[in-house]
Amino acid sequence: MILILIAFPLFMSALALIVPWNRVRPFFLPLSGVAHVAVTALVIARPEYRAFTEWLAIDPLAVVILLSVSALYLLSSFYAVGYLRYKKDRSNRVFVASFSAFLGLISLAVCSRHLGLMWVAIEGTTLVTAPLIYFNRSPRSIEATWKYLLVGSVGIALALLGTFFLAYASLRGGRGATLDLGELVAAAPGMSAPWLRAAFILLLVGYGTKMGLAPMHTWKPDAYGEASGAVGAILAGGVTSGAFLALMRIYQITVAAGQGAFASRLLVFMGLFSMATAGVFMINQRDFKRMLAYSSVEHMGILALGVGIGGVALWGALLHVLMNSMTKGALFLSAGNIQRAYQDKTTDAVRGAFRVVPLSASLFLAGFLAITGSPPFGPFISEFTILSGAFASGRFVSGALFLVFLLVVFVGMGITVLKVVQGKAPEDVVDKGYRESALTTIPTVSFMALVILLGVYIPPFLKDMLLQAMQYLGSQL
Amino acid sequence: MNEILNALFVLVLILNLFALGNGRILSVIKIVAVQGVLLGIIPLFIHAHLTAPEVITSVATIALKGFIIPAMMTKALRDVQIKREVEPLIGLLPSTILGALAIGITFLAFAGAEPGLSGGASLIIPTSIATVIVGFIILTTRFKALSQVLGYLVLENGIYIFSLLLVEAIPLVVEMGMLLDLFVSIFIVSIITNHINRAFSTLDTRALSTLKE
C-alpha cells in the first residue's frame, strides 16, 4: 500500500515527461490524486496495511498528515487541470511532472521512519516545487525561485547537519549511531544532552525554514506571491505539513530524552514570534497573495505554539494541520481566480471582486473569516482548543499574546480582503467579461465545504486518529 | 593510516582558505572539485575493512563532487560569460583571515572535547564544522549567483564530513538519495542562473530586489 502512495505519483511523473500530448498530460494529476486518496482512505480504514518495511510505515502521527496532504492534493490537482487550460500556449511537461512527483516525495517523507530518508524526501519536495514556482518565466518568478532554492537549500542543509548531530548524540550515549526513528526514541534517555540540544536547534532552524517560521520565512512571500493558485495551495498545505511532521519527530525524540521543557520553550517562542512577524507584515499589505503567505507564517507559528504548550493544545495543533491545509486550499485557489480575472494581485488594481468573480470573491472572503478563526469554520475549533490548552496549562502570557496576535492578524488581513472584494470594479476588467470555469471553482467550493463541515462536525474516525497520534507521542489530553 | 588521514583533513581545510581567497570563479570551482575528490577518498582510509556499499559511496561521491558538478558549474559559468567575483561584501583577504580565525576557534573549541574518538577520526568534527562555517562565509559575502552556489557546495561538503562518523547510521540508499538531491539541485540552479543572467543581464543577486515589502 505504501509503495502505491509513493511510487504511483512518481510513475505518473515519469510518464508525464515522456508523453508528448500537451492536452492529455494535465489529467495525470487528478489520476494520481484519486489513486492517492483511495489508498489513504484504505490505510485509515484498515490499520493492518500501514506497515511495509523497517523504514517505511505509517504511524498514527503520519496518518494525520497523510490525510491532510492527500485531500489537499486531490482538490488542487483538479484545479491545476483548469489552470493549465488557461496556459495552452505553453508546454506543461515540466509542470505536470513536478506537480506529480511532489505527491510521491511528500508521501515518502510522511511514511519514512528513518530520519535520513525523510530528509532526502523533504529536500526532494523543495527541488520539485522550484520549477512550479518558476512556471511563468517572468523576472519576478525567477527571483522568487532563486530565493526559494537558496534559502530552502541552506535551511534544509542545516537540518541535515542537525540530523547527523542527533545520530552522534546517540553514538555518544553508547547506543551506537542510528537514524532509525524507533531506535532513536529508545536511545533518547541516554543521549548526550549538549549534542541533542544542538541537534534540536539546527533541526528547528532547518525544518523551520521549510515550514516558514519567522525569522526563516523570508522566501515565503516571494514564492507564494509568484506561484499559481494550485502551487501555492500545495506549498502552504503540503510542504509545510511535511516539514511540521519532521519537526514533530524531532520533538518526540527530544521529549523522550527528557529535554521536553527546553524544546517547548523554543517552540513557544518561535510560534509567538512567527505570529507577531506575520501580523506586522500583514498590516497595509497591498499584495493579497503575499498576504496569504504571511497568513501561512502565522499558522505555522500557531502549530509550533500548540506543540510547545502540549496537552490539549497539542491535540488542537494536530487538528489545525488539517484545518489549515483545507482553508489554505480554499484561499489560494480563490485568490488565483481573482488574480486571473484582474491580471493583477495588488489592491491598487483589484477592487470590487464581488462583481467580477462573485463566487471566488465570496469564497475568498469566507476563507479569510475561516483562517482567522471565526466560527462556524473549522480553524475556529482548532485555534480555540490551542487557546484553552494554553490557559489550562497555566501559560497565561502565551495565551494572551496568542489572542492579541490573532486580533492583529484579523484586522490586518481583513482590511486587504475587504478592499479586494468590495467597492467598484475597474471598467476595463468588467468589460473583459472573465468567466469562472467549473474546474477552477468546484475544487475551491469543495475546500470551503470541508472547512465548514469540520467546523460543525468532527467525524469520530478523525477524533480517533488524533487521539491515537497523541498516545503515540506519549501525551495525554 | 592516521598520518594520511590527518594530512587529508588538513588539505580540506587549506582548500577552504583557497576558496575564500580566490576571486576567479573558475578557480573556486576547481578548488571545490578537489575538495570533493578528497571527501570521496577519506572514507577509504577510515575503515580497516572496506565493504561494497562504502566503495560505491566513495566512487559516486568522487564522480559527482569531483567531476559532474564542476563540469555543470563550468558550463553554467561559460554560458553567462563572467569570470570574477567583483566587490564581495568582505574583501578576499579579510574573508580569508576570517575563515582562518573560524577554523582556529573551532579547533580550540573541539580539541579533546570528544573523548570517544581516537586518531584520525578526532579531526572529523572540527574539520566538518569549520568547513560549514567557511561555506556560510562564502554564501553570505559573495553576490554572484554562482559564487553563492559554490558556498553552498562547501557547506554541503562540511556536512558530508560529519557523516563520516556515522557510517552505520546511513544506509546506502539514503547516501545515494543525498547525492541525487545534490545533483538535481545543482542541475536546477545552473538552469536558473542562466535565466537570471538573461532576464537581469547580470548574475549579481543584488539585482534580484523587486520582491520586497
Side-chain angles (χ1 to χ4, degrees):
Chain A
M1 284 299 131
I2 290 180
L3 209 57
I4 301 175
L5 291 177
I6 299 164
F8 186 72
L10 291 177
F11 170 74
M12 294 312 282
S13 165
L15 205 60
L17 286 176
I18 301 166
V19 167
W21 313 296
N22 217 29
R23 288 165 59 94
V24 178
R25 225 183 275 121
F27 290 99
F28 289 7
L29 300 177
L31 198 61
S32 301
V34 169
H36 197 273
V37 162
V39 175
T40 302
L42 189 66
V43 166
I44 289 171
R46 306 283 292 272
E48 63 266 30
Y49 289 132
R50 290 184 192 177
F52 182 51
T53 65
E54 192 186 345
W55 293 331
L56 286 176
I58 304 173
D59 53 48
L61 184 60
V63 80
V64 177
I65 309 291
L66 189 67
L67 174 65
S68 67
V69 169
S70 194
L72 176 81
Y73 188 90
L74 177 70
L75 295 175
S76 304
S77 67
F78 281 102
Y79 182 94
V81 176
Y83 167 73
L84 289 172
R85 288 223 173 132
Y86 290 105
K87 307 267 173 187
K88 276 198 189 112
D89 49 327
R90 190 174 304 153
S91 167
N92 54 33
R93 184 186 300 261
V94 177
F95 185 95
V96 173
S98 303
F99 207 92
S100 198
F102 166 78
L103 183 62
L105 287 169
I106 194 81
S107 306
L108 177 62
V110 170
C111 300
S112 292
R113 304 265 309 153
H114 184 282
L115 295 187
L117 196 59
M118 184 177 75
W119 182 88
V120 169
I122 291 186
E123 163 79 351
T125 61
T126 313
L127 297 176
V128 296
T129 42
L132 296 176
I133 298 171
Y134 187 43
F135 185 61
N136 278 326
R137 300 279 168 104
S138 62
R140 293 171 65 94
S141 66
I142 295 176
E143 182 181 336
T145 313
W146 172 256
K147 289 179 179 168
Y148 174 66
L149 266 182
L150 199 70
V151 178
S153 300
V154 173
I156 203 84
L158 292 180
L160 182 63
L161 188 61
T163 307
F164 289 161
F165 275 21
L166 203 58
Y168 186 66
S170 157
L171 181 73
R172 286 290 305 278
R175 293 285 293 255
T178 177
L179 283 174
D180 179 283
L181 191 63
E183 289 176 25
L184 275 173
V185 173
M191 277 185 188
S192 147
W195 282 101
L196 177 68
R197 285 176 174 225
F200 183 80
I201 291 172
L202 282 173
L203 286 158
L204 180 62
V205 170
Y207 287 127
T209 308
K210 283 256 69 184
M211 267 174 83
L213 289 172
M216 295 88 71
H217 67 286
T218 49
W219 59 272
K220 225 171 182 177
D222 300 346
Y224 288 14
E226 298 312 311
S228 61
V231 175
I234 63 164
L235 285 175
V239 174
T240 51
S241 302
F244 174 70
L245 176 68
L247 210 54
M248 292 292 294
R249 303 268 190 231
I250 314 306
Y251 178 72
Q252 188 190 2
I253 295 165
T254 317
V255 169
Q259 298 281 344
F262 163 78
S264 286
R265 259 204 312 278
L266 279 174
L267 283 170
V268 168
F269 173 76
M270 293 288 274
L272 289 171
F273 186 68
S274 300
M275 290 184 76
T277 310
V280 168
F281 283 103
M282 256 195 250
I283 293 167
N284 264 332
Q285 181 59 254
R286 286 161 43 238
D287 183 327
F288 60 83
K289 284 181 92 175
R290 291 177 76 87
M291 175 199 76
L292 291 184
Y294 285 113
S295 165
S296 178
V297 173
E298 178 214 349
H299 285 271
M300 291 305 119
I302 294 179
L303 290 181
L305 181 72
V307 175
I309 291 170
V312 179
L314 177 62
W315 196 87
L318 291 174
L319 184 63
H320 196 64
V321 174
L322 186 63
M323 300 299 188
N324 177 53
S325 290
M326 295 303 110
T327 320
K328 281 285 156 34
L331 276 167
F332 272 96
L333 299 191
S334 55
N337 290 340
I338 297 172
Q339 183 184 2
R340 208 163 20 256
Y342 286 83
Q343 297 297 322
D344 202 305
K345 59 191 177 70
T346 62
T347 49
D348 303 340
V350 182
R351 269 167 284 124
F354 271 142
R355 305 245 163 72
V356 180
V357 275
L359 185 57
S360 293
S362 317
L363 289 166
F364 191 59
L365 181 65
F368 149 69
L369 290 172
I371 203 76
T372 46
S374 323
F377 300 101
F380 167 73
I381 312 235
S382 48
E383 286 172 23
F384 188 78
T385 312
I386 293 173
L387 182 67
S388 56
F391 285 124
S393 61
R395 293 177 187 255
F396 296 105
V397 178
S398 301
L401 284 172
F402 177 65
L403 267 183
V404 171
F405 295 147
L406 278 183
L407 190 69
V408 172
V409 166
F410 183 84
V411 174
M413 202 171 169
I415 293 171
T416 309
V417 169
L418 289 177
K419 269 188 197 158
V420 168
V421 295
Q422 287 182 328
K424 196 172 181 308
E427 289 300 324
D428 56 323
V429 178
V430 181
D431 292 345
K432 257 187 276 174
Y434 176 86
R435 300 280 298 237
E436 299 182 82
S437 74
L439 273 170
T440 51
T441 46
I442 293 175
T444 324
V445 173
S446 314
F447 272 129
M448 208 56 214
L450 281 171
V451 171
I452 296 175
L453 180 73
L454 288 170
V456 290
Y457 173 69
I458 297 180
F461 86 90
L462 189 59
K463 275 190 182 150
D464 280 349
M465 255 168 63
L466 295 175
L467 224 51
Q468 281 167 14
M470 292 278 291
Q471 279 161 0
Y472 172 75
L473 288 170
S475 191
Q476 306 290 325
L477 262 186
Chain B
M1 260 336 216
N2 272 337
E3 280 73 40
I4 302 175
L5 212 49
N6 285 341
L8 288 174
F9 280 125
V10 171
L11 265 178
V12 169
L13 290 168
I14 292 174
L15 287 171
N16 282 341
L17 295 181
F18 279 168
L20 280 170
N22 207 312
R24 285 194 59 198
I25 296 177
L26 188 63
S27 312
V28 182
I29 293 178
K30 285 182 181 149
I31 292 166
V32 177
V34 175
Q35 200 176 42
V37 173
L38 287 179
L39 294 191
I41 295 173
I42 288 172
L44 303 175
F45 288 94
I46 288 185
H47 308 289
H49 305 285
L50 284 175
T51 58
E54 283 163 10
V55 176
I56 295 172
T57 312
S58 271
V59 172
T61 306
I62 293 173
L64 187 70
K65 293 191 181 222
F67 299 97
I68 299 172
I69 288 180
M72 285 155 74
M73 298 282 295
T74 312
K75 184 177 176 305
L77 185 69
R78 208 178 302 133
D79 289 346
V80 297
Q81 293 182 327
I82 53 161
K83 287 197 171 63
R84 302 187 67 85
E85 173 73 41
V86 278
E87 51 179 81
L89 183 67
I90 303 177
L92 296 175
L93 187 62
S95 64
T96 313
I97 294 170
L98 193 67
L101 272 176
I103 293 173
I105 292 169
T106 321
F107 269 76
L108 278 179
F110 286 96
E114 295 303 306
L117 306 171
S118 59
S122 64
L123 284 184
I124 289 182
I125 294 179
T127 309
S128 160
I129 293 176
T131 309
V132 168
I133 294 173
V134 168
F136 251 117
I137 295 175
I138 298 177
L139 196 61
T140 48
T141 61
R142 308 287 154 94
F143 292 117
K144 290 274 188 284
L146 281 173
S147 299
Q148 292 179 339
V149 176
L150 286 165
Y152 172 74
L153 284 172
V154 172
L155 178 96
E156 220 275 341
N157 282 349
I159 296 172
Y160 181 87
I161 297 172
F162 201 95
S163 77
L164 298 175
L165 279 174
L166 313 162
V167 190
E168 68 263 47
I170 307 166
L172 184 65
V173 51
V174 174
E175 199 91 59
M176 290 297 130
M178 288 170 186
L179 290 176
L180 180 67
D181 277 347
L182 186 65
F183 170 75
V184 176
S185 67
I186 300 300
F187 179 73
I188 297 176
V189 159
S190 59
I191 294 173
I192 290 179
T193 48
N194 199 353
H195 285 247
I196 291 178
N197 195 48
R198 256 189 275 162
F200 296 90
S201 310
T202 174
L203 259 194
D204 194 322
T205 50
R206 279 169 296 188
L208 303 177
S209 57
T210 325
L211 304 177
K212 59 179 180 224
E213 296 311 330

